[in-house]
Amino acid sequence: MIKASLRSHLTLWFAGLSLLILLSVGFYVGHIATEQMKQASGNTLLSTARSTAALLAVQLRERQLEVSLLSKAPLFRRGDLDAPDILALMELRTQSRAEYAWMGVVDAEGRVRQAVNGLLVNQSVQQRPWFQAGLRGEYTGDPHEAVLLAKLLPGAANGEPLRFIDFAAPIRNASGETIGVLGAHAHWRWVTQIVASAVTQKDALPDIEALIVDFDGKVLYPEALAGEQMPKDKLVTPTGWFTDNGYVTASVAVPSPSNARVSWYIMVRQPLDVALQPARSLLYKLMVLGLLAAIIFIVAAYYLASSLSRPIERLAKSAKQVQDHQPGAVFPQEHPVLEIAQLGQSLTGMTHSLLAKERELQETNASLEATVAQRTADLTQANADLLKLATHDALTGVFNRRRFDEKLAENSLLFQRTGRTFALLLIDADYFKRVNDTYGHAVGDDVLCQLAALIENTTRATDFVARYGGEEFAVLLPEVEEPDSPDVVAEKIRAAVAAAKFPTVSQVTVSIGVGVAEPSDRDSLALLKRADMRLYEAKGAGRNRVA
């Protein structure tokens, strides 16, 4: 039996074990890193999909609300659908909103009476779903190709077919009778641009792709994938994302109002290879480092095995004392074998160096802890500042429209659960355009700031004051009982504004619309519409009053 030398035994065993351990750790770390990268990519895609779906839902609700409010304008309620002012009003809306491809007024028999640019005038749209639904109430429809309208409009630059989103609302006269429908077609590319811009932010993941999918899993966007089928059972998953066909994909339903006939899902996906590239790079690096370390260990084992056992044991014992921070460690400085003597000298110097480094490390750790504490405090303050910027109006200092929408939704949910009613005041500065035109926008901004301060000082601490938009403010009243009923609070605000002196402008008045939540309200939009209608009544009755 051939026996290997001690040098060979130690070298083979040490090299083999070190290589096995390093490879095992490398594969294990690589597997963990792969799963974590996959989860991180999925969560990031899910966050992007949620923000994109929320943005798209807000845009759809705003266009539907715009069409609905326009159909309730006094010009329409007079009953004359051929009035020139109606066409001027629609033209003004379409000029300010590039997404509108067509807007028109249709009588109850389905004939187009007036339309922007004269498109489809005197043609019948009686069989169109948006007209039939618009006679019954507000309507938002799925994308479709409008054959008649597409012939009258220039085609898309990329050759894609023209598709549109329908919005409709009934037109009722002063007696409440439905006399027609106000319809509008928005370009489908408006929807796709919203989705594309939301997912192509500068800090977005690389190579991500956004899809719009209907409730059956059929792709609506992008055009290159239109008609393809996505897994229907993957549209809703417990985690919100899944891996399939070489992609990490997140799926989120687009929130839509109850009157909308749209059931879309936003799917944001990234190639699995791209998502896992950092983890694979880490695995390759670990493998290379493991091989290099194994080679180094083989060489070290070869030379260590060449020395005598007794000096090694002494060196090992002294090294263990150093490791355990025990005093009295002595390394032999002289030995017939040059390597052992050098090793003893080196370990002595290394011990002194390690002790010095340990002291430096302790001092460095103390400094780092102080720095981390300061950075944490700075970050906390920065987060507080960002929160205020996200919820408050930059000009007036009161809450902004976004925070108002959230607060209104919270009050509506509380009302539905507890029956505790609340009220909404919509406040609009009278003739504010004259202020800007006469004195300039700087004076107008000063007036808005003073108005916001007057409203805050007149309301209670529990009331919620927000800038609704432009010269319009909103106040939520969680308590509506006497003596501070909504009408009383509104009158206090109106009187305080009317009695106040505004620098340069002298006097400013406001009109206020009051709405109270009712059990029949399906959502907060109904209360908002009532308050807005009361505001129009106050304006129409001469301004500087409460309706």
Side-chain angles (χ1 to χ4, degrees):
M1 182 178 179
I2 300 176
K3 295 184 179 180
S5 64
L6 176 61
R7 178 187 303 176
S8 300
H9 275 290
L10 290 177
T11 302
L12 291 176
W13 277 101
F14 191 81
L17 288 175
S18 62
L19 182 61
L20 178 61
I21 292 174
L22 289 171
L23 290 177
S24 300
V25 171
F27 278 113
Y28 180 70
V29 172
H31 174 72
I32 293 177
T34 299
E35 292 301 317
Q36 289 180 345
M37 287 301 302
K38 187 186 300 183
Q39 185 173 4
S41 176
N43 291 335
T44 303
L45 293 174
L46 179 60
S47 177
T48 302
R50 283 174 175 168
S51 61
T52 302
L55 176 61
L56 180 56
V58 169
Q59 292 293 326
L60 290 173
R61 283 197 293 268
E62 287 182 354
R63 298 294 81 74
Q64 178 61 72
L65 179 60
E66 188 174 46
V67 172
S68 176
L69 293 177
L70 187 60
S71 70
K72 295 179 176 64
L75 284 174
F76 291 86
R77 292 175 60 84
R78 293 172 184 167
D80 184 8
L81 301 182
D82 295 321
D85 289 342
I86 291 180
L87 180 58
L89 186 58
M90 292 191 297
E91 289 176 343
L92 183 63
R93 292 287 181 172
T94 55
Q95 289 171 3
S96 64
R97 294 290 186 181
E99 59 265 26
Y100 287 124
W102 180 85
M103 182 178 289
V105 174
V106 184
D107 59 24
E109 287 71 37
R111 185 170 64 89
V112 179
R113 302 290 288 273
Q114 293 194 83
V116 175
N117 297 326
L119 299 178
L120 304 181
V121 172
N122 291 325
Q123 295 196 36
S124 175
V125 294
Q126 187 178 23
Q127 301 303 318
R128 302 303 300 161
W130 65 264
F131 169 75
Q132 297 174 3
L135 288 173
R136 298 187 296 270
E138 297 172 2
Y139 172 80
T140 300
D142 266 330
H144 65 89
E145 296 185 27
V147 179
L148 293 176
L149 188 58
K151 295 178 180 178
L152 304 176
L153 295 173
N158 55 7
E160 296 180 0
L162 289 176
R163 291 193 288 176
F164 307 96
I165 301 293
D166 295 332
F167 300 95
I171 301 174
R172 297 186 174 92
N173 57 21
S175 61
E177 178 185 2
T178 301
I179 60 174
V181 173
L182 174 62
H185 297 334
H187 289 287
W188 173 243
R189 67 172 178 270
W190 163 66
V191 173
T192 62
Q193 287 171 355
I194 293 173
V195 174
S197 63
V199 299
T200 55
Q201 302 173 8
K202 63 179 181 179
D203 55 348
L205 294 176
D207 297 333
I208 64 173
E209 180 183 21
L211 292 81
I212 304 178
V213 181
D214 66 11
F215 67 98
D216 278 329
K218 186 170 67 176
V219 177
L220 303 177
Y221 166 82
E223 193 65 28
L225 302 177
E228 289 192 14
Q229 189 68 34
M230 301 298 290
K232 189 175 180 181
D233 59 340
K234 301 290 188 179
L235 294 179
V236 179
T237 61
T239 60
W241 60 272
F242 60 94
T243 55
D244 190 33
N245 294 330
Y247 287 92
V248 181
T249 307
S251 176
V252 175
V254 177
S256 59
S258 58
N259 56 358
R261 299 185 181 180
V262 292
S263 299
W264 300 339
Y265 290 84
I266 298 296
M267 302 186 84
V268 182
R269 65 183 187 179
Q270 183 185 34
L272 190 60
D273 290 339
V274 176
L276 299 182
Q277 183 59 38
R280 290 176 177 171
S281 298
L282 175 62
L283 179 59
Y284 295 150
K285 291 178 181 178
L286 289 174
M287 297 294 296
V288 172
L289 289 175
L291 290 175
L292 292 175
I295 295 173
I296 294 173
F297 289 153
I298 290 174
V299 174
Y302 176 81
Y303 283 102
L304 287 174
S306 302
S307 62
L308 299 175
S309 61
R310 184 175 298 175
I312 292 177
E313 291 175 358
R314 292 178 60 189
L315 290 174
K317 182 178 180 180
S318 298
K320 187 67 168 61
Q321 288 177 313
V322 173
Q323 179 183 358
D324 296 338
H325 301 280
Q326 295 177 357
V330 177
F331 298 99
Q333 304 295 308
E334 299 294 337
H335 195 275
V337 179
L338 179 62
E339 290 80 5
I340 294 178
Q342 291 177 342
L343 182 60
Q345 297 169 5
S346 299
L347 288 176
T348 300
M350 185 184 301
T351 301
H352 295 312
S353 177
L354 286 175
L355 292 175
K357 291 292 184 181
E358 184 177 4
R359 288 192 295 269
E360 292 178 4
L361 184 60
Q362 290 175 349
E363 296 174 356
T364 302
N365 286 340
S367 176
L368 286 176
E369 290 176 357
T371 302
V372 169
Q374 180 61 40
R375 296 289 173 83
T376 302
D378 294 342
L379 181 60
T380 301
Q381 181 61 40
N383 287 336
D385 294 340
L386 285 175
L387 179 60
K388 184 173 182 180
L389 287 175
T391 58
H392 286 73
D393 179 53
L395 175 63
T396 62
V398 298
F399 288 103
N400 58 20
R401 172 68 179 273
R402 175 185 175 186
R403 181 59 185 133
F404 165 77
D405 291 338
E406 295 174 352
K407 192 68 174 180
L408 180 60
E410 292 172 7
N411 279 271
S412 297
L413 291 175
L414 183 62
F415 172 58
Q416 294 173 7
R417 290 198 304 266
T418 66
R420 183 179 180 182
T421 188
F422 68 100
L424 169 63
L425 310 182
L426 287 183
I427 306 169
D428 189 80
D430 298 329
Y431 303 111
F432 185 74
K433 186 176 183 298
R434 295 181 184 175
V435 175
N436 282 335
D437 293 343
T438 304
Y439 303 102
H441 289 277
V443 174
D445 290 346
D446 292 339
V447 170
L448 290 177
C449 291
Q450 188 171 349
L451 271 178
L454 284 170
I455 294 172
E456 279 197 314
N457 292 335
T458 309
T459 54
R460 302 162 298 184
T462 57
D463 298 333
F464 182 90
V465 179
R467 186 181 179 190
Y468 191 67
E471 67 273 18
E472 193 169 359
F473 294 86
V475 180
L476 288 172
L477 305 177
E479 301 290 342
V480 297
E481 290 82 6
E482 298 292 343
D484 293 327
S485 62
D487 293 342
V488 172
V489 175
E491 180 57 28
K492 285 182 180 179
I493 295 173
R494 185 207 64 78
V497 174
K501 295 298 182 181
F502 290 80
T504 306
V505 180
S506 181
Q507 186 176 22
V508 174
T509 61
V510 293
S511 299
I512 303 177
V514 180
V516 179
E518 298 177 358
S520 60
D521 291 344
R522 299 179 63 184
D523 52 29
S524 58
L525 186 60
L527 173 59
L528 189 61
K529 290 180 179 178
R530 281 201 303 278
D532 194 55
M533 291 175 64
R534 299 292 87 78
L535 177 59
Y536 272 108
E537 291 176 6
K539 290 283 188 182
R543 296 180 169 82
N544 191 21
R545 64 190 62 230
V546 175

